[in-house]
Amino acid sequence: MSGHGDVHDYGPDIFTEAEGDDDTLANLGPLSGMAGTWEGVTGVDVHPVGPGSDMDGTAVDNGGLQNVYVERYDLQPIDPQTNGPQLLYGLRYHTHIVKPGEVETFHDQVGYWLWEPAAGLVLHSLTIPRGQVVLASGPAAPDATEFEVTATLGGGTTGIVSAPFLDRAFRTTEFRMRVTVHDDGTWSYEEHTMMEVEGRADLVDHVDRNRLRRTAAPQPNPLAAVAGSEA
């Protein structure tokens, strides 16, 4: 098993594709407890605001603002993916967040959660419609119920890329997300985004956390669905 940031040794043949199992849901390793559609109504977001801000929320000690939020997180299995001998199983996701009782989007995010069995590695990609993308990773055992993915600015095989304004005014230097799958069938996350905010000498820790309950089971990935219909 490789450590975080290591490359698994797949040997000299980088072109011959790995053979995987058509049923992604049976091969998600530590991501197994996250498949499906989820809702969380106890989300907490702590983010930086400017001096004298009159935005709704609760002021916190670090000069930021705390908001509560409601989240719908949909994670559906994709067909197995290969890069030559590298085999990945994964979930395509969309999370949509609003403040309680409101319609306007508070946060929107899409991406993939990926599991690389040979390397014992979880990969997490995210894209948000404010001009930012992140690829984070972290080691995990196949039966892990807790794991963490991280990314740093200029990290090489993981990283953070922001559009020009964000990179100048709210430069993200580190991203860290810890996932816990609970015995009661829920899962939770705690996310820390470290930022250099223009005009502030200290790093700002933008924190998000929520606990999600499943509202619908996942749908089989396309290959598995076809195999099931032919059985």
Side-chain angles (χ1 to χ4, degrees), residues 1-218:
M1 180 181 294
S2 299
H4 180 29
D6 294 340
V7 177
H8 180 73
D9 183 7
Y10 286 99
D13 180 1
I14 62 171
F15 293 103
T16 301
E17 290 192 355
E19 294 186 8
D21 185 345
D22 290 349
D23 186 358
T24 294
L25 285 171
N27 293 276
L28 286 170
L31 306 179
S32 296
M34 299 167 63
T37 303
W38 306 79
E39 185 178 76
V41 297
T42 58
V44 175
D45 169 88
V46 181
H47 59 276
V49 294
S53 173
D54 59 357
M55 296 174 62
D56 292 336
T58 303
V60 293
D61 291 341
N62 69 350
L65 198 69
Q66 177 174 297
N67 291 106
V68 296
Y69 60 84
V70 175
E71 180 171 16
R72 183 183 186 276
Y73 206 135
D74 187 52
L75 299 108
Q76 299 297 333
I78 60 173
D79 286 340
Q81 303 294 305
T82 59
N83 294 310
Q86 183 189 42
L87 175 65
L88 300 162
Y89 295 98
L91 298 166
R92 179 182 60 249
Y93 75 87
H94 174 212
T95 180
H96 183 251
I97 293 173
V98 297
K99 294 180 183 179
E102 295 190 8
V103 176
E104 181 183 0
T105 298
F106 185 57
H107 182 78
D108 196 89
Q109 181 177 312
V110 297
Y112 294 91
W113 282 98
L114 301 173
W115 167 239
E116 185 182 359
L121 194 69
V122 172
L123 297 165
H124 174 52
S125 68
L126 67 89
T127 302
I128 58 175
R130 295 193 296 275
Q132 190 172 66
V133 296
V134 175
L135 179 64
S137 70
D143 59 351
T145 56
E146 188 171 69
F147 56 87
E148 184 173 89
V149 293
T150 62
T152 56
L153 185 63
T157 56
T158 62
I160 302 160
V161 179
S162 304
F165 174 76
L166 277 183
D167 187 60
R168 189 204 83 198
F170 300 94
R171 178 174 294 155
T172 298
T173 61
E174 181 184 353
F175 171 86
R176 183 171 76 255
M177 183 175 181
R178 177 167 290 275
V179 170
T180 304
V181 178
H182 302 280
D183 292 339
D184 64 357
T186 65
W187 69 276
S188 61
Y189 66 83
E190 180 164 314
E191 186 177 292
H192 294 265
T193 305
M194 304 303 296
M195 296 187 296
E196 296 175 354
V197 178
E198 192 172 77
R200 294 185 59 165
D202 56 324
L203 277 176
V204 175
D205 186 5
H206 181 162
V207 183
D208 294 284
R209 62 175 68 93
N210 206 354
R211 186 159 179 161
L212 301 121
R213 298 184 181 278
R214 193 160 73 173
T215 59

